[in-house]
Amino acid sequence: MKIADKLLNLVGVGRERGLPPPRLVAIADGLLVTERSAEAWFLISVANTDLATEGEQDAALDAAVSAAATILGDRLSHLKVVWGRSTGLDYIDSVAGHYRIGDHEGWAQTRADRIDEMRMPERYVALGVHLSDRDPRATAQVRGSISDALGTTSWRVSARELAHLDERVHKLARQLGSTVWRAHTAPAEVISWLISREMHRGAVAAPRRGLITGASLARLTSGRVVPYTDHLRIYDSRGQIAAYTSVLAMTDFPEELETPGAGEWLRTLSEIKAIDDDGDEIDVTVEASVRFRVLTKKTARHLVDETRKSAKEQRRSAAKGTAEETADEIVETERIMREVKRDINRSGLTLVEDHPRLLVSADTREDLDAYVDAVIAHYADRGITVAAGADEQRDLWLESLPGDQLRVPDLGHVRESTAFFGSWFWGGASIGDATGPAIGYLTGSTPGLVRFDAAAGSALGDATTTLFLGRSGRGKTTAAMLGGLDSAFAGAWVPLLDLKGDAAGVSAVAAEYGVPTAVIEITAQFSGAADLLRVLPVDDALLQAPSQLMLLLPPHLRGAAEAPVMAATRAEIQSPDPSSWGVIQRLCAAESETTRTVGFALRDLVETGLGSVVAGPPSGLSSLTTNPGLWVVQMPGLTLPSPESAPESWSPIERVGMACLRGCLAWMVRTTGRREFRGRSKVVIVPEVHLLTKTPDGASFLDYIARVGRALGASLVLDTQDPASILKLPGLVEQITTLFAFSLRSREQVDSLLELLGRPQTAPYQTLVRGINTAANGKSIRHGHCIMRDRWDEVATVQIDIPSQRVAELLRTTPESEHDLEPTQPILPPYEDPDPFAEDDEDRADAALQPAAAAASQAEAHTQEPVQDTPLPSVPVVETSNHHAPTDTPAPSNGTAPNGVDHHHPPRYEEPIGPDEVYDQEADEAAYNEAMYPANEPDPTNSNGNGPGKKEHVA
């Protein structure tokens, strides 16, 4: 260091403060080149830590510390935590080619419009690593000044230099990509966006080229920034103030920080709140810029020795003074340095030198002051001191720019690596499929879209079962229907077994968007359609069909009936066209009076009503079409027993109902197994599956369905209120890839759900499950909020989101509704208080156990008579589909919606979150719930609104 530099440092003015801003030379994927240096830039993936156990976090933290010491040792690094925004245009780009039938562009646009409406923030964690100095600092300054005077620049990056730097970037990318950060090279447009957003704080489109040089670079830094004592003013191209920004320094940390807890001082950026004029909490957008260096053992030992020697000299100097007393701080420092050096040598302790800065922006000076006060208070509660850099705003702000360097070295810290990486800058919430439709958004510490594709398992070679769990009235069936709609738009065959008779609304949504659909009622005209002898392969039918027939018998006949029923089934299965009706005829014609009694009892049940669907004379009709689309299968008159009742206590109609249900499920799965049908995506949706898991043969049947799904390319979506019964089916549990957990109450069910989620059965997690659907006020229901476990066993909290009010209105199709279900262009009628989650509301839970007598009027607008389809071997198939829309409906080529409205979306990265455009999750949920679930809904049959039809809704 030169003498002049030492003198400047003595008065607090280092030479770094006097350097000009960085002059950009080139930007490429993962690479930023300035006149003075070259840097590699990476994007760090969000780790899913919000619901991680303490042991999981400790293991990840240890891995991060080890990786940093190995890869980043003594490298100058720059960490940036910034916020962008999820846009509808990005979403449409991401699902391009995924949807195939109906007005899929309109469906994608509906979700895109909802995304734009939410203005949801998206966190980016970027890591810059210094690669090399391109020229000594002083020489670069002189040459740059000469070039500016001449109006030219002599700085260029040669192809040879660029190739060398690119090779180093890829090497670092391979190393960092294998760490807990799962880092990947930042695209050139993202690097340029990181720079331009600091210069403009407004809408600046990022260039979309692989290598950015020349005029494009000049435009990135063409903004005007004027520093003041405690803030900066950023001006737009018209000379107007675009934003007020303040750079804060984190000047003091407590000696010990706990993690999980206050030690996560970077992850908590998204949790900072301010109070507005109305007394409500609002989110404060805070960004971070941290320049740091992980010290190698050699460097750390040298630094510790220098500090210890300095303390020793101060102690000796004080001893020679007149007082001959040494300050306690000096003695303590000397002792600590000796201990630190011992830990470095013995236990592998690593140190980090870091300089954390926080950037806060607002539209007005008053808002900026309020936001800064909120940030300072937030960290004060954690024992961390944050202050605005008085008279240092210019240099602190330049420090935050990619391509610049440390300018204020005296506002820094040297600490253990665990204290720095324990800030969990890469922690938060991240879950769901990497691609595919969005079903909702994250509600953890890092907002973002959640993607879910119910049919993705087969394509990935994975299991194919999705499970929705929770109490009635929380939104699990609606979530399952949204997943089924996305699969139908993607060209899948999606049958939905509607046991409660209130899911016709999902067919209405499909019809609205031109997806082939129908609501199909299984009645006596489909005699024999659920006969397991006609549905299953011979070997399986030999075991399953007798169980189905035994289920129909009253308890007092079952003991004597088992052997005759099995014998008659063995004989019937040898016939050319075996059927359960044939088994019954053999029993009725037997010589044994007991056997004939069994046969007559079965015949009496199957000759009327739904019994004929199970084992009546084969009519040759099948209600399901095999065409792509969404098909709601209803069984009017089906009565199911209570899940708590024993099979011995079931009434005859309940026994018929269970046999019909099981046969219908087998029928669906057998259809999916047709050889000529195997190449097609299939998603079978079965709500209220807890009614099956209560019976031994029903449980084994579900186990079978789940196991064969992957081989057949069929995905299974189940909806149940009883996780304890699911745990008793280990075969089914093994096949679950994705799980959505809504609230439960009882200790047994809560602990069973936690076991399925892979979370410990401890008080914090139990409280989370019980309260996941409770709103912040503690007195209303938060519909659609749940805990999700994805196919990679990540767990996070998620809000299922209905894409529009129109979709919400159609999902609520009930017998009283008068929606036009013809597949026409969307017409937005006056809003009529929709409640899309009403299909599983608590006050209707018992309806699932009663005959669905109103199903005919509910589906009247789009229930059709059967039409002949391609037959199964020996079984004619009937198709029901006069609501089919053309599957090759031409899409608008100009990017407009089906109704001709032009949907404009800003380019990608065009709109980073502005100072007053902060996404307020709680406010958004309140507003959306107010629209979706109004306080009171008048009953159309009760004009005064005060009768039993008046129904209360909660936000």
Side-chain angles (χ1 to χ4, degrees), residues 91-159:
Y91 177 72
I92 289 177
D93 290 344
S94 70
V95 297
H98 179 80
Y99 296 133
R100 298 168 51 195
I101 66 174
D103 181 17
H104 55 83
E105 289 188 346
W107 177 250
Q109 188 66 58
T110 301
R111 176 64 73 181
D113 291 342
R114 172 62 178 154
I115 292 170
D116 284 336
E117 175 189 339
M118 289 190 294
R119 304 181 70 83
M120 184 178 298
E122 184 176 14
R123 190 181 74 172
Y124 291 84
V125 181
L127 175 65
V129 181
H130 181 81
L131 294 178
S132 63
D133 290 325
R134 302 190 71 229
D135 198 70
R137 210 175 300 136
T139 306
Q141 184 176 1
V142 173
R143 293 185 180 180
S145 300
I146 295 174
S147 300
D148 290 342
L150 297 175
T152 62
T153 176
S154 59
W155 293 96
R156 297 289 185 270
V157 54
S158 66

Side-chain angles (χ1 to χ4, degrees), residues 325 442 525 618 689 730 925:
E325 294 181 358
L442 291 161
Q525 65 177 322
V689 78
E925 289 163 359

